[in-house]
Amino acid sequence: MNEAELNKLIERDARSYNEPPAPPLDAMWAAIEAQDWTRAASTDTSGGSATRGRVRRWMMDRRFQAAAVLLIGVAIGRLTLARTNTQATAATTNPTTEQTRVASAVPDTGFAAPYQVTTSRYLGQTAALLIALPADTHHMNAAENQQFISRAGDLLTTTRLLLDSPAADNPSMRNLLEDLELVLAQVVHLRAAPSRTELDLIHQALDQREVLPRLTNAAADISAAN
Amino acid sequence: MREPELIARVIAGDRIAARELYDAHAPRVFRLAFRLTGDADLAREFTQDTFVRAFGQLSRFRGDAALSTWLHRITVTVVANAMRKVKRFRERETDLEAAEPLHMEGSTSDPILRHRLHTAIDALPEIYRTTLIMHDVEGYTHGEIAQVLAVAEGTCKSRLSQARAQLREALADLAPELES
């Protein structure tokens, strides 16, 4: 490609590169006004500690999005598998055996619809939080830890409410909720700057009790039941 | 009110004057931040940081260059520092939202050519990409870019030349399509 051809291409198409939308002037101004400019000037000697914090938050949000996408993928996969198994069973067995097999493949999630909706949402949010749990302390600052711990606190409250609800009548669901209560309580008791050991203990608890696979399976089972 | 008076009032703590300065410069700062990042949330954060830092350091602004140049210098610095980390993150994570639409409203050009050009610009080393975006996309002069990036004008021209050479090489196979 020669210079003239490149010029032609740039002239025609470069302006659409990262084409900016209209700037959200008022929203940005509100955020700027909320800052203490004098303090920012005296403390910002390294070129943007505030920026670094925001970039970390942005990355944190992306991690939550990725975790949510992962969970949805697992749920869809499980749902597809459950339906395939059901069809295969129907093709090879008589009606009586078929009913028994389907019942054993899909755990009893026959509690009232409002609890199913709440439980399904809760399982998704908890899975997203636990998948996003960092493996070490380098990826998060104190503010992000606080945000993480606050989310875990909300989910712990929901866990305890669900344990006292018809949703926990199913033994396997009760076991899962009890394990989640334990893990979430560990997360809630993390300090603002957790040590590597504290995080390792939580990861060990997750692994030993196979919490994440059970969590995603339960979420998929409720979706399948619905 | 003239800009030097506005600056003096902002330094004295006048937030109305600050808003006036902001209104005059924020659209172009946001534009530059968006061109460099390609992400509305990041562009917004970096624009905010640019103005927070600028207002905090306004007393150090000597007026040697235009205020816009000084602001754009802060913007480029803020973006460059933060994007190193963002790029490392993006290399590890799959960004499901990054897929660029092949058809854009109001454009008559070939979407494949456009996509290839944009991808090639993305792949440029950062100093070349910044220079090319400022000159060829945003229309800054070499003098303005040199002031913003705090380099000699000759360096700026050389970087643009390097950027274009790399684009020509990356897009060499498109020459026949451009001729047709």
Side-chain angles (χ1 to χ4, degrees), chain A residues 144-168:
Chain A
E144 285 159 1
N145 283 346
Q146 210 52 55
Q147 187 190 5
F148 201 88
I149 290 166
S150 168
R151 282 183 197 230
D154 293 341
L155 290 169
L156 180 60
T157 306
T158 311
T159 310
R160 287 172 175 159
L161 289 170
L162 285 172
L163 275 167
D164 290 332
S165 78

Side-chain angles (χ1 to χ4, degrees), chain A residues 3 7 13 17 25 51 54, chain B residues 45 49 109 122 164 168:
Chain A
E3 187 69 23
N7 277 342
D13 287 327
Y17 176 80
L25 290 176
T51 306
R54 286 176 180 142
Chain B
E45 297 286 2
D49 280 337
S109 63
D122 280 334
R164 283 166 159 264
R168 280 200 304 277

Side-chain angles (χ1 to χ4, degrees), chain A residues 64 71 120-130 155 158:
Chain A
F64 275 113
L71 178 71
S120 177
R121 190 185 305 136
Y122 156 83
L123 292 175
Q125 289 172 348
T126 308
L129 181 108
L130 294 179
L155 290 169
T158 311

Side-chain angles (χ1 to χ4, degrees), chain B residues 19-80:
Chain B
R19 173 71 202 234
E20 207 169 318
L21 267 190
Y22 166 84
D23 282 341
H25 295 283
R28 194 131 190 243
V29 166
F30 177 83
R31 234 184 126 73
L32 178 59
F34 191 93
R35 292 280 198 198
L36 293 171
T37 62
D39 183 292
D41 291 337
L42 288 175
R44 179 180 157 162
E45 297 286 2
F46 297 157
T47 303
Q48 289 164 196
D49 280 337
T50 296
F51 279 93
V52 169
R53 290 184 67 189
F55 289 148
Q57 299 176 357
L58 205 50
S59 57
R60 294 188 219 162
F61 174 64
R62 296 191 305 272
D64 297 340
L67 181 68
S68 59
T69 303
W70 187 69
L71 285 170
H72 296 175
R73 184 183 301 168
I74 296 174
T75 310
V76 170
T77 306
V78 164
V79 171

Side-chain angles (χ1 to χ4, degrees), chain A residues 85-103:
Chain A
N85 287 344
T86 305
Q87 285 164 2
T89 307
T92 56
T93 60
N94 63 47
T96 314
T97 343
E98 178 202 333
Q99 283 165 2
T100 314
R101 288 195 185 181
V102 171

Side-chain angles (χ1 to χ4, degrees), chain B residues 114-156:
Chain B
R114 187 172 58 239
H115 183 69
R116 286 284 308 277
L117 174 66
H118 293 182
T119 307
I121 294 174
D122 280 334
L124 288 173
E126 204 49 47
I127 52 169
Y128 297 157
R129 193 178 77 97
T130 302
T131 307
L132 184 108
I133 287 173
M134 293 181 79
H135 189 273
D136 286 351
V137 182
E138 278 296 296
Y140 289 69
T141 65
H142 281 297
E144 287 170 327
I145 299 170
Q147 283 196 313
V148 168
L149 301 181
V151 295
E153 209 169 309
T155 307
C156 175

Side-chain angles (χ1 to χ4, degrees), chain A residues 196-215:
Chain A
R196 178 71 187 259
T197 313
E198 286 174 289
L199 289 172
D200 282 347
L201 283 171
I202 298 176
H203 280 287
Q204 274 174 26
L206 285 172
D207 292 342
Q208 283 167 3
R209 292 162 191 271
E210 296 182 324
V211 173
L212 282 174
R214 286 163 58 211
L215 187 54

